[in-house]
Amino acid sequence: MEETFHKIGDYILRVDIENKHPTDNGVRRGDGISRIFNFRARQVTTTERNWIYEGRGGDAGGSSALSTHSRTESFDDLPGDSEIPLMHAKLLSLEGKPPPLEDVMPKMLGKQSGLRSPKPQE
C-alpha cells in the first residue's frame, strides 16, 4: 500500500492511498482512496476506486473496468476529528496556508444537537 500527499492549493490537501494486488495470469487489479481536505470549506471529499486491467500483446485488445464512489462531508459530520490536525500539519509542511486549526475544527463534535428522543411518559 502506498500513501502520497499533494498540495493542491494553499488550503487544499489531497491524500492518495493505492493498493496494487499481485498479478494473476496478466490481470492487474487494484483499489485506492483519495481524500481531499479543503480547509477553507471545512470539507473532506472521499473517492474510492477499484480497477482491473488485462493487457494483451500484439493484435489482441485488452480489457479494463473501473468503479468509483465519491462522497463529500463537512468536518462537523465526521465521526471523529483526529485526522483533521494531522492533515492540517501535513499541508503546512508542504508550504500550504490553510486557515488556523482552531477555525476549522468541528464545532459540534461531542455536543448534543437540537434533536432529542422524546422523554418516556410516566
Side-chain angles (χ1 to χ4, degrees):
M1 189 167 353
E2 182 179 332
E3 184 176 51
T4 56
F5 299 89
H6 308 275
K7 181 182 102 171
I8 304 301
D10 282 339
Y11 53 90
I12 300 174
L13 175 72
R14 187 181 81 215
V15 183
D16 294 320
I17 302 167
E18 192 166 314
N19 188 19
K20 295 179 182 173
H21 301 280
T23 301
D24 183 24
N25 296 327
V27 176
R28 295 181 219 150
R29 63 187 182 92
D31 54 76
I33 297 174
S34 291
R35 292 177 55 87
I36 299 173
F37 290 83
N38 183 328
F39 290 97
R40 184 171 286 168
R42 299 181 63 252
Q43 293 179 330
V44 60
T45 300
T46 303
T47 303
E48 301 170 27
R49 297 174 310 282
N50 293 296
W51 55 270
I52 187 166
Y53 169 79
E54 178 185 19
R56 296 185 182 155
D59 297 329
S63 62
S64 64
L66 174 67
S67 164
T68 64
H69 172 76
S70 293
R71 69 183 177 279
T72 300
E73 299 170 282
S74 167
F75 286 178
D76 293 327
D77 296 332
L78 296 174
D81 65 358
S82 63
E83 191 175 32
I84 297 169
L86 294 173
M87 296 303 120
H88 189 272
K90 187 64 178 179
L91 183 56
L92 286 171
S93 76
L94 295 172
E95 300 181 5
K97 297 177 182 76
L101 186 58
E102 57 272 4
D103 292 349
V104 300
M105 288 300 286
K107 309 291 187 234
M108 294 299 295
L109 195 65
K111 296 181 181 177
Q112 190 173 25
S113 71
L115 300 175
R116 297 185 190 146
S117 299
K119 290 184 178 179
Q121 297 292 327
E122 293 182 17

